[in-house]
């Protein structure tokens, strides 16, 4: 049995990440994952929520309403200790331009350039939501704790990965293989928890 599931994103890396996690958790082929490029277009939903959970639900509700498909959406970001948890929900547009990874990363590094290494703690947070066409909603959250280095390292991942070193690691997220990152990432944790809900709600346990 295979079910179709919409992930409300156009980010191909995020689609690949969730497909890998679902295949590992539920069995390859049990869920066919679609992105926004695979369904009739609808207007983007403004991310007006004040929390990651709020924004994930906004996007998942819109996807389910417009397509009639069970829809997953996530909102994630970086919470920096010395910035009182910012950029938080503004992570993707911290520099003022949505999705400009380099500008966001450079601005953040500049803002904490005078902070001692011992105080550069941070955590990635991901809230993931599943909304079903009948209106049922489920949310989960995953976190990855670590610290920020002073210079970008690595070519993998995206966003703030090149400056984030997870707790217990010596390399940045961008220096990890996709499988290594999935195993410890905030999104990996949230999506694995969501996979169990998908199993129960869509695959009959």
């Amino acid at each position: 049995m295979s079910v179709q599931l919409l992930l409300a994103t156009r980010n191909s890396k995020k689609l690949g990440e969730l497909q890998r996690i679902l295949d590992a958790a539920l069995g390859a082929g049990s869920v066919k994952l679609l992105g926004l490029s695979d369904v009739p277009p609808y207007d983007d939903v403004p991310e007006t929520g004040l929390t990651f959970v709020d924004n994930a639900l906004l996007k998942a509700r819109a996807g389910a309403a417009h397509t009639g498909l069970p829809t997953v959406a996530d909102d994630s970001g970086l919470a920096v200790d010395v910035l009182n948890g910012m950029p938080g929900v503004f992570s993707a547009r911290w520099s003022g331009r949505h999705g400009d990874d380099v500008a966001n990363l450079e601005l953040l590094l500049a803002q904490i350039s005078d902070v001692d290494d011992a105080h550069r703690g941070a955590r990635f947070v991901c809230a993931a939501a599943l909304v079903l066409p009948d209106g049922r909603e489920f949310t989960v959250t995953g976190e990855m704790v670590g610290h920020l280095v002073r210079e970008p390292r690595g070519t993998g991942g995206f966003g703030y990965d090149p400056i984030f070193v997870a707790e217990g690691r010596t390399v940045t997220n961008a220096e990890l293989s996709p499988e290594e990152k999935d195993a410890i990432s905030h999104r990996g944790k949230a999506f694995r928890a969501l996979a169990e809900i998908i199993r129960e709600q869509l695959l009959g346990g």
Side-chain angles (χ1 to χ4, degrees), residues 91-114:
S91 292
R93 52 191 187 276
W94 191 232
S95 66
R97 297 186 299 278
H98 191 283
D100 190 337
D101 287 354
V102 173
N104 291 334
L105 188 151
E106 289 177 348
L107 175 60
L108 182 64
L109 283 179
Q111 289 170 324
I112 63 170
S113 61
D114 60 347

Side-chain angles (χ1 to χ4, degrees), residues 70-155:
T71 301
V72 169
D74 80 294
D75 193 39
S76 55
L78 182 68
V80 180
D81 294 350
V82 295
L83 298 179
N84 294 318
M86 299 300 283
V89 294
F90 304 107
S91 292
R93 52 191 187 276
W94 191 232
S95 66
R97 297 186 299 278
H98 191 283
D100 190 337
D101 287 354
V102 173
N104 291 334
L105 188 151
E106 289 177 348
L107 175 60
L108 182 64
L109 283 179
Q111 289 170 324
I112 63 170
S113 61
D114 60 347
V115 176
D116 291 341
D117 289 349
H119 301 295
R120 294 169 70 95
R123 60 196 167 93
F124 273 120
V125 181
C126 174
L130 170 67
V131 173
L132 304 183
D134 64 9
R136 286 177 291 158
E137 299 179 346
F138 307 87
T139 61
V140 293
T141 303
E143 291 190 359
M144 176 169 47
V145 177
H147 68 274
L148 302 179
V149 295
R150 296 185 177 275
E151 297 286 341
R153 302 196 318 247
T155 57

